[in-house]
Amino acid sequence: MHVPDGFINAPVSAVTGVVAAGAVAVSLRGARRELDERTAPLAGLVAAFIFAVQMLNFPVAAGTSGHLLGGALAAILVGPFTGVLCVSVVLLMQGVLFADGGLTALGVNITDMAIVTTVVSYAVFRALVKVLPRKRSSVTAASFAAALLSVPAAAVAFTLVYAVGGTTDIAISKVATAMVGVHVLIGVGEAVITALTVGAVIAVRPDLVYGARGLQQRLKLRVNGELVDADAPAAPVAAPSSHRKVWITGLVTSLVLAGFVSFYASASPDGLEKVAKDKGIDAKVKAHGSEDSPLAGYGVKDVSDARLSGGLAGVIGVGVTVVAGTGVFWAVRRRRPADTSPSSVPEGV
């Protein structure tokens, strides 16, 4: 789904750049209400995990592969505003360091992969958890459905952008059919990865999952024949060592996925690459502005061993992303107004 330079013309790329910049600015303000001392480090880790899992292309059909987009996963784990920022950080790192996704198309990619996937998935997620039983399993099920729908939504968004600013004269109906068709299949993989990850985190630390906040029913007391809410007991504060354990486990998992497991990822083109080649969308693709980067193509320049080169690039990518992401989210957290403490912000599902 990473759009390269040359697919979309300059005026539309500029407009999507403005849209992306505006969304990021709004998300920076919104993230102040979502982040606290526990979730700020987790948000940086979520960005690094998304980077790592995006290196794991999985086969779908007919010589096509897919990979995680991550908007649903980020929104459910750390909140929709923070989720937009997580995916945007990943896209920036990929574009600048790894020549993945065009630099002039960065606005297109943020709009499509960060904004659309996060907004659509979180809207679906919130709608589902309101009608499902208030249980942890409901959060996991809602995560699956939200992630499943977010991928074809991104495919539709790209098709609309291409219809307005595409640089090749291809029938939009053909582009839409091909894009949505293949990305429905990719959405299944996205849903499985998202549900498994959310389920794993919620099993050990449900308090760290933004989408699971407020799961517990308030205790009711009967007073003068009427049921009223009892005062909720103070929630136990997790030990700092518990926070560190989750963070270290997540970081090690990301490093293993990017540094080792990624070598076994599918080499088939992803959904957009396949459609672009088959339909001729890539006729005017341009060379990437970072093609001379020492990490371009997810390999380390001058390292001849493919396994070692890819593994080192993956480890470096995870490291840079977690540092950049954590820095951004800690800065946002430090600017948080005093009246938006976790206890004063309405929560719940």
Side-chain angles (χ1 to χ4, degrees):
M1 188 65 77
H2 293 75
V3 179
D5 296 318
F7 276 25
I8 307 299
N9 63 31
V12 174
S13 295
V15 170
T16 57
V18 172
V19 171
V24 168
V26 171
S27 296
L28 285 170
R29 294 180 60 87
R32 296 178 194 174
R33 300 191 298 271
E34 296 172 347
L35 295 169
D36 56 32
E37 65 279 357
R38 300 170 303 162
T39 55
L42 179 64
L45 179 61
V46 168
F49 182 78
I50 290 172
F51 174 90
V53 180
Q54 283 196 1
M55 294 182 67
L56 308 180
N57 282 47
F58 49 85
V60 286
T64 308
S65 70
H67 63 69
L68 181 80
L69 298 186
L73 177 62
I76 294 164
L77 286 180
V78 292
F81 293 108
T82 308
V84 169
L85 298 179
C86 282
V87 181
S88 297
V89 167
V90 173
L91 293 171
L92 180 62
M93 296 297 103
Q94 290 171 331
V96 172
L97 298 179
F98 297 90
D100 188 11
L103 297 181
T104 62
L106 184 60
V108 177
N109 285 319
I110 290 177
T111 300
D112 195 28
M113 296 176 64
I115 302 171
V116 172
T117 59
T118 301
V119 171
V120 170
S121 64
Y122 198 69
V124 172
F125 175 82
R126 290 285 295 177
L128 289 175
V129 295
K130 285 183 179 294
V131 298
L132 292 173
R134 297 172 65 84
K135 300 188 299 183
R136 296 179 183 180
S137 59
S138 297
V139 174
T140 304
S143 301
F144 183 95
L148 176 65
L149 294 175
S150 70
V151 179
V156 171
F158 168 79
T159 303
L160 294 175
V161 172
Y162 180 81
V164 177
T167 56
T168 53
D169 187 18
I170 308 297
I172 196 63
S173 59
K174 294 182 179 180
V175 176
T177 300
M179 283 293 293
V180 174
V182 71
H183 284 91
V184 166
L185 298 177
I186 295 173
V188 176
E190 177 101 8
V192 170
I193 295 170
T194 300
L196 288 175
T197 304
V198 171
V201 178
I202 206 172
V204 295
R205 287 295 304 273
D207 60 306
L208 293 182
V209 178
Y210 185 88
R213 293 180 178 181
L215 274 179
Q216 298 299 322
Q217 299 274 7
R218 291 291 298 274
L219 178 64
K220 298 285 187 178
L221 295 178
R222 187 173 296 278
V223 178
N224 297 327
E226 296 183 0
L227 289 176
V228 297
D229 289 332
D231 292 335
V237 179
S241 59
S242 177
H243 297 166
R244 287 195 297 268
K245 183 177 180 180
V246 171
W247 196 90
I248 292 172
T249 301
L251 180 61
V252 170
T253 301
S254 300
L255 291 171
V256 170
L257 292 174
F260 177 73
V261 180
S262 62
F263 182 78
Y264 301 98
S266 172
S268 299
D270 67 21
L272 178 58
E273 291 172 330
K274 178 67 172 175
V275 172
K277 182 177 180 180
D278 290 347
K279 304 301 179 182
I281 297 176
D282 60 355
K284 296 185 179 180
V285 67
K286 298 179 180 179
H288 199 285
S290 297
E291 63 180 356
D292 294 328
S293 166
L295 298 173
Y298 295 94
V300 177
K301 189 176 181 180
D302 297 329
V303 177
S304 57
D305 184 273
R307 185 189 297 263
L308 179 60
S309 177
L312 286 174
V315 169
I316 292 170
V318 168
V320 171
T321 303
V322 75
V323 169
T326 302
V328 168
F329 298 124
W330 269 117
V332 172
R333 163 61 186 158
R334 287 174 64 86
R335 290 175 58 85
R336 180 176 179 166
D339 62 349
T340 56
S341 61
S343 61
S344 65
V345 179
E347 295 178 354
V349 293

